[in-house]
Amino acid sequence: MEMVKTIKEVIEGKLIYNKSSVVDIAKKVGVSIQYVQEVINGEKNPPVEVMSKLSHYLQMNSYETDEFYKIAALQKTPKVILEDYIKKSILLEII
């Protein structure tokens, strides 16, 4: 089972790939540098509009964009629900 990336890994990886910075992305998306840093660090869950702008500016293809939205949704999901889901997934793989 592949480990799920974090928002931080995705954004930082795309920033490096695109030779961009947090300052660049904040200006393009229309949010503060602090807000982008909070999103990267998992302290803020951006709304769909910001996610869309981030994926566009970071030049994500459709697969990367889908994964980006899934990761964000997982970050918003309470830990107890995720733990239950993981346990059930592992059991299904065994069966």
Side-chain angles (χ1 to χ4, degrees), residues 64-88:
E64 291 170 325
T65 299
D66 287 346
E67 290 300 305
F68 189 52
Y69 278 90
K70 287 177 190 173
I71 293 166
L74 286 172
Q75 265 187 203
K76 294 177 184 180
T77 304
K79 188 176 179 180
V80 68
I81 294 172
L82 287 175
E83 289 171 350
D84 188 45
Y85 172 77
I86 291 168
K87 287 176 189 174
K88 287 179 181 175

Side-chain angles (χ1 to χ4, degrees), residues 32-61:
S32 70
I33 296 165
Q34 179 181 347
Y35 182 81
V36 173
Q37 290 172 328
E38 289 172 341
V39 169
I40 290 171
N41 292 325
E43 298 165 11
K44 296 276 185 188
N45 291 313
V48 173
E49 301 82 26
V50 173
M51 292 288 294
S52 177
K53 289 178 182 180
L54 285 169
S55 64
H56 175 75
Y57 175 69
L58 292 170
Q59 301 174 358
M60 294 181 186
N61 62 36

